[in-house]
Amino acid sequence: MTDARQSKADTPTPRRPRTQRTQTTPPVAGAATAVDVLEDTTPRAPTASRLLKEQGILAEAENHFAQFGFEGASLENIAAAIGISRHNLLYYFPSKEALYQRVLDDVLTQWLAGMEDLSHSDDPQQALRRYIRAKLQYSRVRPQGAKVFTKEVIAGAPRYGKAITERVGPLLRTEVRTFERWAREGRIAKVNFTHLMFIIWSVTQAYAEQEAQFALLLGKPALTENDYKKAEELICHLVLRGLEPARGNPSRD
């Protein structure tokens, strides 16, 4: 018969749970810690000097792409025109394609700003006058940008077609809906508003694309601010007269 009392030696001693020992290794000089790596990968805002340099490159690139197109322009000539090396230019823009895309992005962003303003107005006449004025002003102060965009579109938009579809398309549809609302309210006549926008774009942009021809036919070295003002008055007159609601006049039905 076994004695119920067991000796202390016979009683199994419970094992203590094994703790995981953390090995602390002193950091090696020059080695990046996890915190350092995290900080290094955090995007940093570009400095003012970098932004200024980028703007200088973009302005010169816009001139070259307007004159020579994408294929004819070279990074070497763009860099030389602003007094830097091609290698230095590639530090800011990794390729000619990237530089070209950025130029077109800037041109389109400025152009689309006017389209957004158009849909935020409740006065059709004032909205259209402001829009036409802004488009002509753009053609006057930034003709090279308009020429770059036109060259790309004339070529079939091989490098920028997707951006045009994704960025211009939704805004154009918004503008058309605004015009349709004005027409339902009896403020303007019902026309094909998509083609109305195409016509406004074409006639205002012509003052950038054909400025040299217009000036030549006017016997001037260049178009003046007054020439653009006269163009604005006439374009606004034609567009607004064409959008006047019939108001019961049978001759306009």
Side-chain angles (χ1 to χ4, degrees):
M1 182 175 182
T2 305
D3 189 353
R5 293 175 299 177
Q6 290 183 330
S7 66
K8 190 175 182 179
D10 295 332
T11 304
T13 304
R15 292 184 178 181
R16 296 179 179 178
R18 179 176 296 178
T19 58
Q20 184 74 27
R21 175 176 293 180
T22 302
Q23 184 177 2
T24 57
T25 305
V28 179
T33 65
V35 175
D36 293 333
V37 173
L38 180 61
E39 290 178 351
D40 289 343
T41 56
T42 302
R44 298 177 181 177
T47 63
S49 60
R50 180 186 179 93
L51 290 174
L52 186 62
K53 178 65 74 173
E54 286 183 357
Q55 289 304 313
I57 295 171
L58 288 169
E60 194 58 47
E62 189 172 296
N63 292 334
H64 281 249
F65 288 133
Q67 184 174 359
F68 304 108
F70 176 80
E71 298 295 344
S74 71
L75 294 181
E76 289 82 359
N77 290 339
I78 295 171
I82 56 176
I84 64 174
S85 67
R86 180 180 184 275
H87 179 76
N88 195 0
L89 187 152
L90 290 172
Y91 171 78
Y92 296 94
F93 298 96
S95 65
K96 184 167 78 167
E97 181 84 20
L99 180 57
Y100 183 70
Q101 291 280 340
R102 176 63 183 279
V103 167
L104 286 171
D105 282 344
D106 286 359
V107 170
L108 190 56
T109 295
Q110 186 175 353
W111 177 35
L112 293 182
M115 289 183 68
E116 292 174 346
D117 292 341
L118 183 60
S119 63
H120 295 158
S121 176
D122 285 329
D123 187 329
Q125 289 200 6
Q126 290 300 321
L128 281 164
R129 286 184 183 277
R130 284 197 302 267
Y131 183 67
I132 291 169
R133 183 181 305 117
K135 288 286 283 129
L136 279 171
Q137 175 74 358
Y138 178 82
S139 293
R140 186 171 74 87
V141 302
R142 199 175 179 183
Q144 300 298 74
K147 291 175 184 177
V148 176
F149 194 87
T150 299
K151 284 181 181 292
E152 172 67 14
V153 171
I154 289 175
R159 295 176 177 84
Y160 209 64
K162 183 179 179 182
I164 293 173
T165 300
E166 293 178 350
R167 297 184 63 189
V168 181
L171 271 178
L172 175 60
R173 289 189 288 273
T174 298
E175 302 313 318
V176 169
R177 287 194 295 269
T178 299
F179 284 124
E180 289 173 343
R181 173 172 59 83
W182 288 338
R184 288 194 303 270
E185 295 169 351
R187 297 182 176 190
I188 59 175
K190 175 70 175 178
V191 299
N192 188 310
F193 296 118
T194 299
H195 283 280
L196 171 66
M197 292 299 289
F198 292 167
I199 291 168
I200 293 174
W201 295 349
S202 300
V203 71
T204 53
Q205 196 157 322
Y207 281 82
E209 300 162 7
Q210 302 186 51
E211 192 269 349
Q213 178 183 206
F214 293 169
L216 183 66
L217 294 174
L218 289 172
K220 301 178 177 181
L223 294 181
T224 65
E225 184 175 354
N226 191 47
D227 292 322
Y228 284 91
K229 183 64 177 177
K230 290 178 179 178
E232 176 191 330
E233 292 172 356
L234 179 57
I235 296 168
C236 287
H237 174 75
L238 295 174
V239 170
L240 295 177
R241 283 295 299 272
L243 289 176
E244 285 182 357
R247 300 192 185 285
N249 185 351
S251 64
R252 291 183 60 84
D253 290 340

